[in-house]
Amino acid sequence: MKKRLLAMLLAGAMCASLAACGGSDTPAANGGESTGESTGEGYAIDVILKTTASEYWGYVQAGALSYMEEHPEVTVEVKGASSETAYDEQQNMIETDLNSGAYDAFVIAPLQADLVKTLIAGQTAPIIAVDTDIDAPEVLSFVGTGNEDAAAMGGEEAVAAAKAAGWADDQLTAIAISGVQGDATAEARLAGYQKGVEAAGGTFLVDEIQYANAVADQAATSMEAIMQNHPEGVAMILCNNDDMAMAAARAAAGNAAYENTIFVGFDGIQSACNAILAGEETMSVAQEAFDMGYMAVEAAVSALNGETPAEFIDSGCSVVTAENAQERLDTLKSYLGE
């Protein structure tokens, strides 16, 4: 891909918001299931993300804009709320754009899937859900990570790492610091973490889940509460995203009981790779956020061309550790022409 042009397209949007697993330049090469090389004459695709104020969503945006770069006959407009709890802001964006008549298809990452289901009721334009599914007949396809399976893989890897770090079998306890309570993606990751930890012989403390609204400062507060409740230490802290995992690790720094704790994040962003390489965050379940954005727009164009995109398009995932963090970091930078 023409990364220099992509970097120019992203410059304004990304400079204030660089706050998930890479591969080659095409989604199919990264293990994702491509919907085909559909093109469209004069199509306008509206992409409404949960937020544009984080690094992870910056990569989803990069992938969506990359499709436009490769298919100049398609116009892609990307926007998002100011945070993942700015529900009214995203609702207003969706309502305004659905009623504007300016777009041929929509790609939506819902903050509140049930609310968005109501907003899109009766719409005839193609709608693609990205990152978080929307259970509505108007949604033709969901493009994203199989969050439960991906988190299960992370949970199993965390138990193995905890054993390697010296935790005894009867000490393999895990506490999750989750995102927004009730959010479908956060709940799927919780279920996956529990499944993976228990399958590997660990104990997932269901009654001690901390909800931190997917933001770092609240995750740090949650970690402080965990340390007060467990002065003896906890083998694994499993987080809903990388920002939260890094914040939890910083909060625990200097506490001898948590010196060998395994801190697991989710997304595999640049800052997480750097933290893993520095020995801070231990590992991250990495999403293919760039491919997710690309493939969602691709699916929308495919639908506009009269094709039927798959109901679920898996954009892939992997686990980032100290062994492969540098390779992933280099790939993520290449998406932005760095």
Side-chain angles (χ1 to χ4, degrees):
M1 287 180 282
K2 306 177 185 67
K3 295 186 176 69
R4 180 173 299 177
L5 177 56
L6 177 56
M8 292 173 63
L9 288 169
L10 287 169
M14 290 293 291
C15 65
S17 61
L18 267 183
C21 151
S24 70
D25 288 341
T26 63
N30 280 339
E33 181 183 339
S34 174
T35 59
E37 285 299 318
S38 300
T39 60
E41 290 297 331
Y43 293 150
I45 312 298
D46 188 31
V47 180
I48 304 176
L49 304 180
K50 291 186 178 182
T51 183
T52 53
S54 74
E55 184 184 332
Y56 168 77
W57 288 105
Y59 289 116
V60 180
Q61 176 176 345
L65 292 177
S66 180
Y67 186 93
M68 180 173 63
E69 177 201 346
E70 294 184 352
H71 304 84
E73 71 280 6
V74 176
T75 299
V76 177
E77 183 177 328
V78 184
K79 64 198 68 170
S82 55
S83 76
E84 291 196 32
T85 55
Y87 308 120
D88 290 345
E89 186 179 350
Q90 191 191 57
Q91 178 181 347
N92 289 337
M93 285 180 180
I94 295 171
E95 288 180 321
T96 298
D97 289 3
L98 288 174
N99 294 320
S100 70
Y103 305 101
D104 300 295
F106 300 86
V107 172
I108 303 175
L111 285 173
Q112 293 175 304
D114 288 343
L115 172 62
V116 175
K117 177 180 179 178
T118 301
L119 296 177
I120 64 176
Q123 290 293 322
T124 57
I127 297 176
I128 308 297
V130 65
D131 180 80
T132 300
D133 200 3
I134 306 166
D135 183 15
E138 291 80 8
V139 175
L140 303 180
S141 180
F142 166 50
V143 181
T145 303
N147 281 286
E148 185 170 333
D149 289 342
M153 178 172 61
E156 291 183 15
E157 293 282 348
V159 172
K163 291 179 179 179
W167 294 90
D169 288 348
D170 62 352
Q171 298 175 316
L172 295 173
T173 54
I175 295 178
I177 303 179
S178 190
V180 178
Q181 189 167 11
D183 174 77
T185 297
E187 297 302 321
R189 291 177 187 174
L190 279 176
Y193 277 143
Q194 180 176 358
K195 181 188 297 184
V197 167
E198 292 177 349
T203 300
F204 184 88
L205 301 181
V206 179
D207 294 335
E208 298 193 41
I209 295 169
Q210 299 276 331
Y211 289 95
N213 292 323
V215 294
D217 57 347
Q218 292 185 41
T221 300
S222 293
M223 190 65 221
E224 290 169 359
I226 291 170
M227 290 188 290
Q228 288 179 353
N229 293 333
H230 294 274
E232 76 285 0
V234 175
M236 294 161 280
I237 301 296
L238 312 176
C239 298
N240 190 67
N241 64 32
D242 285 319
D243 289 339
M244 296 165 69
M246 289 183 284
R250 286 192 297 269
N255 186 326
Y258 287 81
E259 183 177 356
N260 294 319
T261 294
I262 306 303
F263 290 92
V264 182
F266 207 110
D267 288 339
I269 59 178
Q270 284 193 44
S271 51
C273 293
N274 286 320
I276 290 169
L277 290 169
E280 296 165 359
E281 184 179 353
T282 314
M283 62 180 64
S284 177
V285 181
Q287 300 193 80
E288 301 286 1
F290 181 94
D291 291 354
M292 202 181 291
Y294 185 103
M295 296 164 77
V297 175
E298 184 181 48
V301 173
S302 172
L304 287 168
N305 286 338
E307 301 169 21
T308 303
E311 289 185 9
F312 173 54
I313 301 172
D314 190 345
S315 51
C317 66
S318 65
V319 176
V320 181
T321 65
E323 286 68 39
N324 60 9
Q326 185 60 57
E327 178 182 359
R328 177 167 178 80
L329 182 61
D330 293 342
T331 298
L332 292 176
K333 288 182 177 180
S334 76
Y335 289 151
L336 305 181
E338 296 177 11

